[in-house]
Structure formats: C-alpha cells, structure tokens
Amino acid sequence: MLAPALIGQGLEFTAEDLAPLPSNDSAGLAAMFMMNALMLAGYMPLSLMLSSAPHLLRLRRFLPLLAGWSALTSFLVWFVAGPLLGAVHGHTVEILGLGFLTVAAVGLVQLFFTRIFGPMAVLVGMLFVMVLGVPASNLGMSVHTLPSLYPWLHGFLPAPAIGEALRSVLYFGGNGIGGHVVVLLIGAAAGLGLTALLDIVKRRRDPAYTGPEPTIFSLTGGRPARKPVLYTTLAFFPLAMLVLMLSTMLGAMYQPAPKDMPVAIVGANTEQARMMVTGLEQNMAGLFDLRALDDAEAAREQVREREIVAAYVLPSAASPNATLITNGAAGMSQQQVVVRVFGQVAAGSQMTLDSEDLAPLDARDTTGTVSLYLAMGWIMSGFMIVVVAANAFPPAMRPRNLIPVVAGWAVFMSMWLWVIADPIVGAVDGHFLPLVGAGGVAIFCTAVFTTVFVRLIGLLAVIPVIGVLMFLGVPASGGAMSIYMEPEIFRFLHEVLPMPAALETVRSILYFGGDAVGEHLVTFLIWGAVSLVLVLVVDRLRPVLEIEEMRPPTPAAGVEVSDEASVAEEAGAESGRPVGASV
C-alpha cells in the first residue's frame, strides 16, 4: 500500500524485516494451527462427557482428569508440530507449559458453560473459542484489517491469548508473553470458581440432585458400551480429531513454495519463447512448469480457463513492455507469487512490466475467501444435520425418512446461507438461483456421505467424515492456499474431493459465469450416488445382523419347542423379564 505512493513521489526506500519468519515456518502458520488444536482439546471432550459419561464432570473427578488431559494433549501438539513435521524447533518447555495452561483454562470455562447451558454448551464454546476467537487471534489475518469488534475481543478471548503467547515464544524470545498468560490464568480461575459456586447453590436447593443423566450410551452407534470401552472411546475421539487436524492442515500449508506452477512464456515466435524458458529454468528449476507459446490470445484464454496460473508476454514490436497476465479470482496466493517472481524477472532484464488481471477480485471479496467460506458452509450443513439428527432425533434418519428430511434441509440451508452471504453480510451480490441450486446439491450429497459412516460407527463418524471433508478438503480446495504451493497429493485430491468441488462451483458462479459448475456438480453427484447405494446396503444388512445377534438361547434338553416364538416365551418366563424387552 505504501510503495506506490512513495514511488509516485520519487522517493527511494528499502524494506527492513525486524523478525523474518524462519525457513521451517515460512508461512507463519505454526502458532495458528497449534492454537486451533489446543482450543479443540479444551472444549470438545466436555460435550462428549456430558452426553455419555456426565458423572465425570463432577468437580472432584473432573479436575484430575483435566490435568492429565492437558498434559497429554499439549505434548501431542508439540510432538506433531515439532519432531513430526518440523514446523517448530526448540521451545519445548514453553510450548508444553502454555499448552497445558490453555487446555486447562478452556476446559474449566467450558465446564461452567455445561453447567449453565447443558448440551448447548458446545455451541457457546465454539462461538467464543473458534467463531469469534480465531479471527480475533491476529494470526490468520491482522485484527487491524477486521471490523472494530475484533481488536476488542483480541484483549481477552483465549484463542488470541494462546496464539500471541506462542508467537511471542517462537519469534520474539518471550517478549510480551506475560499479559497473555494472565488472560489464561484469569479464565481458568473464573471457570473453576463459578463452577464451584454454581454446584454449591444447586446442592443447597436440591440435596438429592446428582447431575444430568447420560443420553448416549455408545459412541459407536451400537449397544451400550462397557465403561472401559466407553472411556477409551471418549479419549480416542478428540485425540484423533486433534492429531488429524494438526498433521494434515499444518503439514499441507506451513512451508508454502511454488512447485511446477504452470506459467506460459509468450514470445513473438516459439523459438524466442523457448529460449526464455531455457534461461528461466536454469534459475527456477522445479518452481514453475514453464510452457513456450507464440500466441498471446491463446495464453490469455488458458489463464481465463484456469489451465495455467499466469502468462508472461515478452516485449514485441506491438508492445514495448513485458506483460504479466493473471487471474486474481482463480487464487490470490498464486497470483501474488507470480507477480513477485516475474516482477523480479522483468526488473533483472531491465524491462517495464505491465499487469493484466483477467478476473479481478470483487471489492467485497478482497482476499478471495468468500468462495471458501460459502463452500465450508455447504459442507458443514450437510455433515451437521446427519450427526445431530442421528443422536438427537433418530426417527428422522430412518430409511424412509432420510431422503425427504435431508433434501428439505439442503434446500433450506442453501437458501439461508445465501441470505447470510448476500443481504446480511454483503459478501455476495445476487446469483441467488445458481448458488441455492448448487448449494442444495452439495449439502444433500455431503449429508448422504455422512450417513454411511453414522450408520456404521455412530458418533465416531465425525472423525473420518471431518477428516475427508475438512482436514483434507480445505488444503485441497485451493481456497486458503494454492494447490501448486502444497504437497503434490493435494493436486490429486483437488480433482476428487467434495470441498474443492464446492469451492470451484462457488468461484465459477461468482466470477466466471458458471463455466465449470457442471463438472464439479458431477463430482458431488458421484459421491452422493455411491453413498446412497452404500446406505441402502447397510440398512438392508444391518437389521439381519442384529436379529442374528439377539436370537434367544437354545432351550435346555427335554424342553419341547414348536417354533422360535415358544423359545422366546420360555426364555422370558425363566428370566422373569417381559418377552421382547431386549429387542
């Protein structure tokens, strides 16, 4: 922002970075993803404990469990970010200490929320910890570029506190860490004190009150689990989510660098273009997939169709300056890379560089993230309806109800997300029918995909479904960072996963006249069709398996039995239980 003004006034300047990012964390994302993992470890287990083992939330039992859990999860966060991925070097004691304090503080505050709001506490926790906390953390985007609410929230929410504390340790020698630690300590003390006070008040009002009753007896969707299995599953669930999120998302994005990014070099003839490509490859081997062309219009069309990221047009008789043709709406991060690199190429060749952006980002979408967040809304809507309904109102998920319920929800949520994006937030202008139609298809197919795993493993379906749709899907979408700056596996995933299909659908509708909507909807339809077939197969086989498992025992010798009904009657009479009670 400052450079053009300085250049316009004829001033020379140099840029000095007082704390450059280390090569092992060149994007500066280690602190942000570690913060996300610690927040997840703090608030997620309590909703599971409340629904399946609420007796563990009694204060005298919860405090030692929380201490052990905080130590374990802080170690895992350090281990994944440090020794496993190499995004963090050193600072072991500080990271372990901050992690322990963060998980404990968030857990204690969330415990108080569960006392007040019950099962709805998970939404309250997500609101303050993630929905408001992550933007206010100053890690993903500067709070000074956000609405005035976020700099205020930055002063007391836990996500900014741990995020800034980690950044202080990693990059600034611990300078300024004290204030952020105080925020976490105050939060922990407030959560503990308010919970203890509330428990005292409840006991005085009702001395016989023992707390809420469990509502989920098995996280796997089967028969009630024994306590060792239940407790193991309770621990495994959030641990798996934490490790998956940190390893996949941080692993994909903490060291962004272009690799075989497709760029066309356009010359007056093919020979001139090839000579330029040969010269550039000597200094930029592996960074770009340089292609020699002799037609600027053909190169421009390839950029517009997103077949290549940019085209560098050499000077000619018709145009004395070099020209860089880019496509901002196709990805801001990749545009920034080619602008910076080929700006240096032109300067090194003593050439003036003109820029041409074929699809500039809208003023309401200056960072190009509207497509990503709308796509995430579609995916999460499809996932949440199945997970919540399967546990809160199982009749809605019965085979005969599944399709109408999910279809109605898909249409409703697609319309509601458009209302949020357009009239309420103003991030989108119009495109009602294409966004609602495509969103409905995306939500429906995502919901059917989720149903497969919910039918098989119950609430544990969250782990594989979120792992595929979000933890792998977001890096593979190219919405947060170009797929040409991530490990190569994400280019393949970009072609097959639902999240990239959702993002490219939104991007195509908003900026490219819907040119690629059809092919990405086909991706969704394939996922939806295959998932629906699997759901039908599971629904057909599972009742048979359950009947076989629950057959009455073979009667004793000498007992005359005419059919299976009499066996059941005999077994029921001997046990004193009503016939069919277990069924």
Side-chain angles (χ1 to χ4, degrees):
M1 293 176 67
L2 294 176
L6 296 173
I7 294 173
Q9 296 182 28
L11 298 177
E12 295 183 359
F13 64 93
T14 58
E16 181 180 1
D17 190 346
L18 298 180
L21 287 164
S23 59
N24 55 285
D25 182 26
S26 56
L29 294 176
M32 185 179 79
F33 283 112
M34 291 168 70
M35 174 267 292
N36 285 334
L38 293 170
M39 294 293 104
L40 187 72
Y43 80 87
M44 175 179 262
L46 279 88
S47 61
L48 299 173
M49 295 165 71
L50 180 64
S51 59
S52 57
H55 59 281
L56 297 179
L57 295 179
R58 295 170 188 166
L59 205 54
R60 68 178 183 274
R61 292 182 177 179
F62 180 75
L63 290 179
L65 288 174
L66 179 62
W69 178 254
S70 300
L72 174 61
T73 52
S74 60
F75 170 79
L76 280 176
V77 169
W78 165 80
F79 179 76
V80 173
L84 187 61
L85 295 178
V88 172
H89 292 170
H91 312 290
T92 302
V93 174
E94 296 93 330
I95 292 173
L96 292 177
L98 289 172
F100 181 94
L101 177 59
T102 300
V103 177
V106 174
L108 288 169
V109 173
Q110 189 67 15
L111 178 65
F112 173 68
F113 286 156
T114 60
R115 295 288 202 269
I116 298 293
F117 301 105
M120 300 300 290
V122 64
L123 299 180
V124 180
M126 287 183 66
L127 175 65
F128 289 104
V129 170
M130 303 298 289
V131 176
L132 294 176
V134 172
S137 68
N138 200 38
L139 296 176
M141 186 178 293
S142 169
V143 292
H144 304 295
T145 65
L146 301 177
S148 58
L149 170 68
Y150 291 97
W152 178 68
L153 295 175
H154 181 266
F156 64 88
L157 287 183
I162 181 58
E164 293 289 13
L166 286 171
R167 184 151 58 183
S168 173
V169 166
L170 295 177
Y171 309 129
F172 302 106
N175 182 33
I177 193 175
H180 306 301
V181 171
V182 168
V183 170
L184 295 173
L185 289 172
I186 292 174
L192 178 59
L194 290 172
T195 302
L197 180 62
L198 192 61
D199 287 350
I200 293 173
V201 172
K202 286 184 176 181
R203 280 196 298 269
R204 287 183 177 179
R205 289 181 177 178
D206 184 6
Y209 179 73
T210 59
E213 294 296 324
T215 57
I216 299 176
F217 298 93
S218 173
L219 297 179
T220 60
R223 294 174 174 177
R226 295 183 178 181
K227 283 189 176 181
V229 176
L230 177 63
Y231 294 158
T232 302
T233 310
L234 276 174
F236 170 74
F237 191 123
L239 284 177
M241 293 287 287
L242 183 152
V243 172
L244 270 175
M245 186 275 290
L246 193 59
S247 59
T248 55
M249 299 191 74
L250 178 59
M253 295 187 279
Y254 77 101
Q255 283 184 320
K259 184 177 181 181
D260 295 328
M261 185 178 287
V263 175
I265 304 298
V266 184
N269 52 62
T270 305
E271 186 61 29
Q272 182 192 22
R274 285 176 179 168
M275 290 179 61
M276 187 65 179
V277 166
T278 301
L280 291 175
E281 285 180 340
Q282 293 177 356
N283 299 318
M284 299 188 297
L287 299 181
F288 295 95
D289 175 14
L290 299 175
R291 308 172 183 185
L293 296 177
D294 60 358
D295 187 346
E297 284 304 316
R300 187 175 282 105
E301 186 62 24
Q302 290 184 29
V303 174
R304 185 180 291 108
E305 295 295 324
R306 284 92 78 199
E307 297 175 10
I308 58 177
V309 170
Y312 183 65
V313 184
L314 299 173
S316 63
S319 176
N321 298 333
T323 304
L324 182 64
I325 304 171
T326 61
N327 190 333
M332 185 179 181
S333 59
Q334 61 191 30
Q335 184 188 44
Q336 291 175 332
V337 168
V338 294
V339 167
R340 182 172 66 250
V341 170
F342 286 92
Q344 295 172 352
V345 169
S349 302
Q350 304 297 314
M351 293 186 293
T352 301
L353 182 64
D354 296 333
S355 297
E356 180 182 350
D357 191 344
L358 299 181
L361 290 167
D362 191 88
R364 293 177 293 268
D365 184 23
T366 54
T367 58
T369 54
V370 170
S371 302
L372 174 62
Y373 286 114
L374 193 51
M376 290 173 66
W378 290 352
I379 298 297
M380 290 302 296
S381 297
F383 157 76
M384 290 299 294
I385 180 61
V386 175
V387 172
V388 173
N391 292 280
F393 190 61
M397 293 293 102
R398 289 173 181 167
R400 65 177 179 272
N401 298 332
L402 175 64
I403 292 179
V405 167
V406 170
W409 172 260
V411 174
F412 167 75
M413 278 307 299
S414 184
M415 294 176 65
W416 177 237
L417 288 171
W418 177 87
V419 169
I420 294 174
D422 190 344
I424 296 179
V425 177
V428 172
D429 183 17
H431 308 286
F432 173 77
L433 288 178
L435 286 176
V436 169
V441 173
I443 294 170
F444 179 86
C445 295
T446 302
V448 178
F449 168 70
T450 305
T451 304
V452 176
F453 290 92
V454 170
R455 290 281 204 267
L456 293 173
I457 56 176
L459 193 59
L460 288 182
V462 173
I463 298 171
V465 171
I466 288 294
V468 171
L469 296 179
M470 300 298 291
F471 296 160
L472 290 175
V474 170
S477 70
M481 184 177 293
S482 172
I483 56 173
Y484 297 109
M485 300 167 66
E486 298 172 346
E488 209 161 337
I489 182 63
F490 290 98
R491 300 186 198 183
F492 166 74
L493 296 176
H494 182 81
E495 303 298 326
V496 298
L497 290 184
M499 176 62 81
L503 181 137
E504 293 294 353
T505 298
V506 178
R507 188 179 274 170
S508 176
I509 291 171
L510 295 182
Y511 291 107
F512 303 105
D515 60 348
V517 170
E519 62 185 88
H520 297 300
L521 287 184
V522 168
T523 300
F524 272 112
L525 292 174
I526 292 173
W527 279 81
V530 173
S531 300
L532 185 58
V533 170
L534 292 175
V535 169
L536 295 175
V537 171
V538 171
D539 286 345
R540 188 173 183 84
L541 294 178
R542 193 169 184 180
V544 176
L545 295 175
E546 290 176 349
I547 291 171
E548 289 295 330
E549 291 172 357
M550 293 188 288
R551 283 188 185 277
T554 303
V559 177
E560 184 176 346
V561 179
S562 60
D563 53 28
E564 288 189 7
S566 60
V567 176
E569 290 177 4
E570 185 74 19
E574 291 180 358
S575 65
R577 293 176 297 182
V579 175
S582 62
V583 177

